[in-house]
């Protein structure tokens, strides 16, 4: 068999094996967070201040992790409890772009500086995008 | 003692999460059971993605040599490079952390950190979940969400690249 194929397969397997304890650890941590923080608890974090809610939405979305479907379901619940679209958007975006739970894995594999820069920027962007979407919907008379 | 000295941070991290699980088992066995079932459920869902990542890493190792990266991804056509980073981010599936080893593998081949950031940010768009998003938040909201994610994935990539250059 071609030596290049064996080498490539070995390097790929080694890469996966080295990342395995981190990947399993992150998966376990996500399972714990999903179990210990139910939707009702999340709703209780929000108040009536729109901008504070946006910040809370972005923070919660950053801490929580898992399938984006869960974020849609939780966001749907938040809307039904009259939590504004701006906070819900910040929550949805930070859920998929910021990863506090995955941060140790990202730091280990992609580098500390890169991981911190990327997550910080993503956090700020989740708020900026939420404000922009809110403004467009508001000015368009859709909310 | 030698065994513990040889352990990497990733193993310490994994052992810590197991200790957390054991603490949960002592404090609240029902939460432990629920966490364990969710973990196993996630694990079953993750395995196919791990296989995909392995295949991609294998293909990347085999075909994407530094020479090829230089030729196609580090060429002068910057627009095309960023376009591919966004498209690959959108079509990539599975949990984000499954992609870290693959992306780390590309770094020594010359991929800039900004492109990795763009790829990771564009992953916020999930084509398979767009119908569900429309159902929950409406078509116009979904379009806005998608457009802004694409724009900001590119902004994030260029900011991180600039930071890298300044460094």
């Amino acid at each position: 068999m071609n030596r290049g194929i064996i080498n490539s397969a070995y390097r790929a397997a080694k890469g996966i094996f080295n990342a395995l304890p981190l990947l399993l650890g992150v998966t376990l941590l996500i399972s714990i967070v999903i179990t210990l923080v139910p939707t009702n608890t999340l709703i209780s974090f929000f108040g009536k201040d729109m901008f504070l809610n946006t910040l809370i939405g972005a923070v919660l979305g950053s801490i929580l992790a898992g399938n984006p479907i869960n974020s849609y379901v939780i966001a749907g619940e938040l809307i039904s409890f009259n939590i504004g679209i701006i906070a819900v958007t910040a929550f949805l975006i930070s859920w998929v772009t910021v990863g506090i739970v995955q941060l140790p894995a990202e730091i280990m594999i992609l580098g500390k500086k890169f991981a911190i820069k990327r997550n910080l920027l993503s956090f700020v962007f989740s708020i900026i995008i939420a404000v922009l979407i809110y403004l467009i919907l508001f000015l368009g008379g859709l909310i | 003692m030698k065994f513990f000295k040889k352990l990497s941070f990733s193993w310490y991290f994994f052992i810590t999460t197991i200790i957390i699980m054991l603490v949960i088992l002592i404090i609240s066995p029902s939460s432990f059971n629920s966490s364990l079932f969710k973990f196993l459920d996630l694990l079953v869902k993750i395995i196919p993605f791990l296989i995909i990542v392995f295949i991609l890493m294998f293909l990347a190792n085999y075909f994407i040599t530094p020479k090829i990266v230089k030729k196609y991804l580090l060429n002068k056509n910057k627009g095309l490079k960023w376009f591919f980073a966004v498209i690959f981010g959108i079509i990539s599936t599975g949990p984000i952390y499954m992609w870290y080893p693959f992306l780390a593998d590309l770094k020594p081949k010359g991929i800039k950190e900004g492109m990795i950031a763009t790829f990771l940010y564009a992953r916020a768009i999930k084509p398979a979940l767009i119908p569900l998003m429309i159902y929950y938040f409406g078509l116009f909201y979904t379009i806005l969400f998608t457009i802004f994610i694409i724009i900001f994935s590119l902004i994030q990539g260029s900011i991180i690249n600039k930071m890298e250059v300044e460094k």
Side-chain angles (χ1 to χ4, degrees):
Chain A
M1 204 188 283
N2 189 330
R3 211 174 171 183
I5 292 176
I6 296 168
N7 272 343
S8 304
Y10 173 75
R11 274 158 60 195
K14 201 178 161 192
I16 295 275
F17 179 77
N18 287 340
L20 216 53
L22 270 175
L23 301 179
L24 289 174
V26 169
T27 310
L28 204 54
L29 212 53
I30 289 171
S31 314
I32 294 167
V33 171
I34 292 170
T35 305
L36 299 181
V37 190
T39 309
N40 284 345
T41 313
L42 293 180
I43 290 165
S44 68
F45 284 114
F46 292 92
K48 285 186 177 175
D49 187 314
M50 189 170 73
F51 292 102
L52 192 64
N53 278 352
T54 308
L55 196 64
I56 293 168
V59 170
L60 285 177
S62 305
I63 296 167
L64 297 167
N67 196 314
I69 294 172
N70 296 335
S71 73
Y72 297 170
V73 175
I74 295 170
E77 289 281 310
L78 292 176
I79 289 172
S80 70
F81 276 86
N82 286 327
I83 309 294
I85 195 77
I86 187 167
V88 171
T89 305
F91 172 80
L92 280 174
I93 295 173
S94 60
W95 179 293
V96 279
T97 58
V98 187
I100 299 293
V101 173
Q102 300 98 315
L103 196 61
E106 192 172 345
I107 286 173
M108 271 297 294
I109 301 171
L110 293 175
K112 191 178 174 183
K113 277 185 184 170
F114 171 78
I116 291 171
K117 272 188 290 190
R118 196 191 74 76
N119 280 282
L120 274 176
L121 279 173
S122 299
F123 179 81
V124 174
F125 287 173
S126 72
I127 295 170
I128 296 172
I129 297 174
V131 172
L132 289 172
I133 289 181
Y134 171 79
L135 284 175
I136 292 171
L137 293 175
F138 181 74
L139 294 173
L142 294 165
I143 48 170
Chain B
M1 282 308 277
K2 268 186 182 176
F3 171 76
F4 286 104
K5 274 182 186 171
K6 274 185 183 175
L7 281 181
S8 62
F9 170 81
S10 51
W11 281 104
Y12 281 115
F13 177 71
F14 181 52
I15 292 166
T16 307
T17 53
I18 289 175
I19 292 169
I20 294 171
M21 276 296 273
L22 291 175
V23 171
I24 293 171
L25 174 66
I26 296 163
I27 298 168
S28 168
S30 61
S31 297
F32 171 83
N33 280 342
S34 183
S35 299
L36 192 65
F37 280 122
K38 272 172 188 147
F39 170 70
L40 294 174
D41 186 43
L42 273 174
L43 209 59
V44 170
K45 285 176 186 160
I46 279 168
I47 288 168
F49 297 117
L50 261 181
I51 295 167
I52 292 170
V53 170
F54 172 78
I55 293 167
L56 283 171
M57 282 175 79
F58 166 74
L59 292 174
N61 280 323
Y62 192 70
F63 293 107
I64 307 176
T65 59
K67 218 175 178 182
I68 299 223
V69 172
K70 265 185 191 166
K71 193 175 173 188
Y72 293 101
L73 295 172
L74 303 174
N75 66 10
K76 284 172 189 168
N77 195 338
K78 279 187 179 176
L80 210 60
K81 262 186 342 191
W82 291 107
F83 171 77
F84 279 122
V86 172
I87 295 298
F88 287 147
I90 293 172
I91 61 171
S92 65
T93 52
I96 191 167
Y97 52 91
M98 290 289 146
W99 289 91
Y100 297 157
F102 170 69
L103 295 170
D105 223 33
L106 288 180
K107 261 172 132 182
K109 293 183 168 76
I111 301 281
K112 284 193 172 178
E113 285 191 336
M115 283 187 81
I116 294 176
T118 297
F119 170 90
L120 291 173
Y121 203 86
R123 282 179 40 83
I125 300 166
K126 308 281 178 195
L129 298 182
I130 281 180
L132 191 67
M133 197 173 202
I134 294 171
Y135 168 76
Y136 269 109
F137 312 106
L139 179 66
F140 187 61
Y141 180 91
T142 307
I143 292 170
L144 282 179
F145 182 95
T146 307
I147 291 171
F148 277 120
I149 291 291
I150 291 173
I151 293 169
F152 277 83
S153 72
L154 295 167
I155 293 173
Q156 189 178 69
S158 53
I159 290 175
I160 287 187
N161 267 355
K162 272 191 180 164
M163 284 173 158
E164 209 184 347
V165 169
E166 281 167 13
K167 189 176 72 182

